[in-house]
Structures are given as C-alpha cells and as structure tokens.
C-alpha cells in the first residue's frame, strides 16, 4: 500500500470515529431526555413560560425521538443529507435554548458552547466526498 492510500485509510478511520462520536451524542441525548423526563429539560421549558407540564413533556419526548432518529440515521446511513439535517437540527435547538435560557452559554460545562465544535464536525463530514 502506498503512502497516498495509507493516508486515505487514516482519513476514513478518522471520519468513522468522528461519526460514531456524533452517533453517541445523539443517541445518548435521546436516552437521557427520556430518562430525565421529570428533570431538567421540562423544568427549563416550564421556567421559560411553557405553562403546561404535559406540553413540556411532549416537547421533550418529541426532541428525544428526533435525537434517536438522527443518531440511528448517522449510524446506519451516514449521508450528506443526514449530516446536514443533524446540523440544522442542532442549530435550531441551540437557538431555541438560547432564547429560553441564554445563561446556558455561561454554564461551566458548556451545554450550548459544545455545539460549536459539533457543528464543525458535522459540516466537515457533510462535505466529504462519498
């Protein structure tokens, strides 16, 4: 195997690791959202003006379903549309969270700021030739 082919193999392996790390983020977020259904996410929505607990829970569950779909899509059929939809979804969720609770940008564990490097990874993977 020549140097160019070895380099392509390494790049492919790196892309796979990036993709699988994103799959983990999406699927784990879905699991945690359902697991913590009476926890932080609905509380954030209620504190931000969603007056009905059932509506807040429905919003969290809808987000969890979307997270699971995106995670499985990226796992099973990683295509440019999958990466771009994941990127668009993440941007929308980040904007919604910013409107509901802008202080999340100042949280020391970075629940929103972590989305910037995730967006870059999604964009890079979306631009890769298939």
């Amino acid at each position: 195997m020549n140097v160019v082919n070895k380099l392509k193999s390494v790049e492919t392996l790196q892309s796979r690791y990036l993709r699988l790390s994103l799959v983990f983020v999406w699927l784990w977020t879905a699991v945690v959202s359902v697991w913590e259904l009476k926890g932080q996410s609905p509380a954030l929505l209620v504190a931000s003006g969603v007056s009905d607990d059932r509506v807040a829970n429905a919003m969290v569950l809808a987000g969890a379903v979307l997270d699971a779909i995106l995670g499985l899509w990226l796992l099973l059929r990683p295509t440019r549309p999958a990466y771009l939809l994941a990127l668009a979804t993440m941007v929308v969720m980040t904007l919604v969270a910013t409107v509901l609770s802008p202080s999340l940008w100042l949280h020391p564990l970075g629940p929103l700021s972590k989305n910037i490097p995730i967006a870059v990874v999604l964009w890079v993977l979306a631009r890769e030739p298939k």
Side-chain angles (χ1 to χ4, degrees):
M1 184 184 270
N2 67 29
V3 174
V4 172
N5 287 338
K6 283 183 181 180
L7 183 58
K8 286 181 182 178
S9 295
V10 169
E11 290 170 344
T12 300
L13 189 58
Q14 289 173 346
S15 294
R16 181 176 300 138
Y17 290 154
L18 289 173
R19 178 176 59 85
L20 291 176
S21 69
L22 292 172
V23 166
F24 173 80
V25 168
W26 287 104
L27 293 179
W28 184 248
T29 301
V31 168
V32 169
S33 294
V34 173
W35 189 343
E36 285 285 310
L37 191 56
K38 301 296 182 189
Q40 297 176 37
S41 296
L44 173 66
L45 292 169
V46 169
S48 300
V50 176
S51 59
D52 188 341
D53 286 343
R54 291 173 299 177
V55 172
N57 286 340
M59 291 173 70
V60 172
L61 287 173
V65 168
L66 182 57
D67 290 339
I69 289 169
L70 288 169
L72 290 171
W73 191 7
L74 292 173
L75 177 65
L76 302 173
R77 304 263 312 159
T79 59
R80 182 169 288 128
Y83 292 123
L84 292 175
L85 183 59
L87 176 60
T89 300
M90 191 217 41
V91 167
V92 168
M93 288 182 168
T94 301
L95 291 173
V96 168
T98 298
V99 169
L100 294 178
S101 186
S103 65
L104 289 174
W105 281 101
L106 302 176
H107 192 285
L109 297 179
L112 294 183
S113 60
K114 68 171 174 40
N115 289 346
I116 294 170
I118 291 173
V120 171
V121 170
L122 285 165
W123 181 251
V124 167
L125 291 173
R127 294 180 49 87
E128 282 189 347
K130 297 293 175 193

